Amino acid sequence: MMKKRIPALMLAAAYAFSAAGCSGGNQPSESSTAPSGEPSTSSATAPDNDLVVAFNTDIQSMDPHNTTDTLSITVSRTMYESLVTFDENQEVVPLLAESYTAEDDNLTYTFKLRQGVKFHDGAEFNAEAVKKSIERQLEPNRNSDMPYASFVFGEKEAGNGVETVEAVDPTTVKITLRAASTPFLKNLAMALASPIVSPAAIDAATPGQPIAEPKGTGPYKFVDWTKGASVTLVANDEYWGEAPKVKNLVFKIIAEGNTRLTSLMNGECDIISSVDPSSADQVTSNGFELFSEDGMTINYMAFNTETGKCTDQEVRKAVAQAINVEEMVQAIYGDYATVANSVMPTWMAPYAKDVKQTAYDPEAAKKALADKGITSLQCITYTTARPYNQKGGSQLANMIQGYLSEVGVDVSITEYDWTTYKTKVQTDPYDICFYGWTGDNGDPDNFMNLLADTNWSMNVAHFQDDEYKALIAQGVDTPDGDERDAIYLKCEEMVAEKQPWVLISHSKNLLGINPKVKDFYYHPTGVAFFKGVSKEA
């Protein structure tokens, strides 16, 4: 077994910029604006006082408790902060909390809060604000649009997670768990669910709906969200920590990859996300920088194990036998992805190269599928580039359609843009679909727990296995070390055996950057940090 945690250098570069630390949410009208200043957002060359970043999809929510998509997380992380974060060694350290202690066999956590911190609306950050942010996501208050609530704060029905949150005094919060949880503090350092939101912003939200007017304690404040076009933030002049170096932070939404690339070349944008692997050489040959680092990702095809033609494990195995994963990854991604042999990336424990995935064997697949009477499958996929799949799902679907046609199975494909797909994958019938994951905190539970989740927006395979869930519960309760690694290795082996997914690839994060931009880093978790970023004139 090869054991490797997130490289400390990566974390040091990222977390030095901001707080810490991947999909439904509210939509604005044509424009949502807060009176926080009027930055320049011209489509011409980006002004020196602006940092303009182009993403390929619109944000889904301004509410850090109601989203998992990459851009929403990035925007959220500039506005909101959490009690704790990670240091350069990936150790959890205080942020909005000045200190914390764990008692009663790690069942009770007491946080002493930083004083003198204010929310963007001028309200004081205190224990009641922390209590309100967390209790909003506990049963029975949480709703189905809070997919990370169960990840971070647990589930009462499962006998885990947060039992009570107590504001002991204005600067002290006590959190009591139902059962010990090894990843709990790491989860609190993530960019989802854990950020603390102004109580007034929560109160102003329509019941059951995401927050529309974001108010956090972070280095940037909300100015405007123009649907499908841009999100604009302005530096928080009253930020309690080191002041941001760029006044205006503008996120442009440019769906088409070549258009994003042109915007970088023309100076309209300073940073572009989701560079197509086939365009990577164009970035560097034109004098721009290509950020290319291994992401903490998994790109996979999921079977619907609940309904349809793939509820039978033998059918899933046969479909997997028909797919030449190695050939497919090389053809689509070239050198910018590696074949996935496990759910977790190669540099995360407990990765093991000897996990036996289903081998390519088209003759065996053809016979098994014929014996099972499988002649057609229904596939849905997304067209938008994702951090774990810079090409989008269309090429994957088409290649798998080709592989399966060779073994006598006709695959019908329905495609959607990412925003629509997020709904369709929860409501529409399918036998196979494409999805992926970007890890949030480097803990094995963050990957392997997906297949134990009862929220189908997280667990698109609808995989529910009692033995697997028992392993996940055991892993959460076991301290870090060889014993815990062995539990998650068993989870890996069970995924390979039960075949709810066909593992495809681990990606590299690819971004184009104007060399005038200094101290930018894109973290393996898929979150970009901007507090410490500067831009030369």
Side-chain angles (χ1 to χ4, degrees), residues 403-446:
Y403 288 129
L404 286 169
S405 70
E406 294 176 2
V407 297
V409 177
D410 177 62
V411 177
S412 62
I413 302 171
T414 306
E415 299 180 336
Y416 302 99
D417 66 87
W418 179 250
T419 301
T420 304
Y421 187 71
K422 286 296 297 178
T423 299
K424 294 294 186 179
V425 80
Q426 297 180 68
T427 61
D428 287 17
Y430 58 87
D431 298 305
I432 56 177
C433 73
F434 295 90
Y435 227 60
W437 185 253
T438 300
D440 304 291
N441 61 11
D443 193 274
D445 177 73
N446 189 254

Side-chain angles (χ1 to χ4, degrees), residues 268-490:
E268 298 168 15
C269 295
D270 301 302
I271 301 170
I272 61 170
S273 72
S274 303
V275 172
D276 190 304
S278 63
S279 301
D281 289 344
Q282 288 181 256
V283 174
T284 54
S285 64
N286 282 278
F288 294 87
E289 297 174 358
L290 179 70
F291 181 92
S292 176
E293 295 282 357
D294 288 336
M296 189 161 37
T297 65
I298 180 63
N299 175 28
Y300 60 84
M301 185 184 83
F303 294 99
N304 188 336
T305 65
E306 182 183 36
T307 60
K309 299 177 181 178
C310 297
T311 58
D312 185 338
Q313 180 179 323
E314 292 182 9
V315 170
R316 301 196 296 270
K317 282 283 187 184
V319 171
Q321 285 179 312
I323 302 169
N324 189 333
V325 175
E326 185 171 353
E327 178 183 70
M328 184 168 63
V329 170
Q330 180 59 39
I332 296 177
Y333 309 109
D335 296 332
Y336 294 102
T338 58
V339 174
N341 190 68
S342 68
V343 175
M344 287 177 277
T346 59
W347 42 270
M348 277 185 65
Y351 172 79
K353 290 184 178 180
D354 58 354
V355 174
K356 301 299 182 185
Q357 302 298 332
T358 301
Y360 176 55
D361 190 343
E363 291 303 317
K366 187 173 184 177
K367 182 181 186 306
L369 291 167
D371 289 346
K372 291 289 184 178
I374 303 298
T375 59
S376 64
L377 293 173
Q378 189 173 3
C379 168
I380 62 173
T381 193
Y382 54 92
T383 58
T384 312
R386 305 297 301 150
Y388 43 79
N389 178 14
Q390 305 283 14
K391 288 282 193 177
S394 297
Q395 288 191 47
L396 285 175
N398 289 332
M399 286 197 74
I400 284 174
Q401 183 185 56
Y403 288 129
L404 286 169
S405 70
E406 294 176 2
V407 297
V409 177
D410 177 62
V411 177
S412 62
I413 302 171
T414 306
E415 299 180 336
Y416 302 99
D417 66 87
W418 179 250
T419 301
T420 304
Y421 187 71
K422 286 296 297 178
T423 299
K424 294 294 186 179
V425 80
Q426 297 180 68
T427 61
D428 287 17
Y430 58 87
D431 298 305
I432 56 177
C433 73
F434 295 90
Y435 227 60
W437 185 253
T438 300
D440 304 291
N441 61 11
D443 193 274
D445 177 73
N446 189 254
F447 277 84
M448 306 312 299
N449 205 343
L450 289 168
L451 284 163
D453 206 301
T454 56
N455 187 323
W456 298 152
S457 71
M458 307 287 270
N459 181 3
V460 295
H462 299 196
F463 184 67
Q464 295 293 284
D465 184 283
D466 290 342
E467 182 184 356
Y468 187 85
K469 286 186 173 183
L471 282 172
I472 292 296
Q474 186 181 356
V476 168
D477 191 50
T478 303
D480 281 328
D482 290 344
E483 182 181 354
R484 188 166 190 250
D485 284 351
I487 293 167
Y488 289 110
L489 179 56
K490 288 181 182 178

Side-chain angles (χ1 to χ4, degrees), residues 484-501:
R484 188 166 190 250
D485 284 351
I487 293 167
Y488 289 110
L489 179 56
K490 288 181 182 178
C491 289
E492 289 271 18
E493 292 168 342
M494 186 173 288
V495 174
E497 176 193 357
K498 301 277 188 176
Q499 200 79 66
W501 295 348

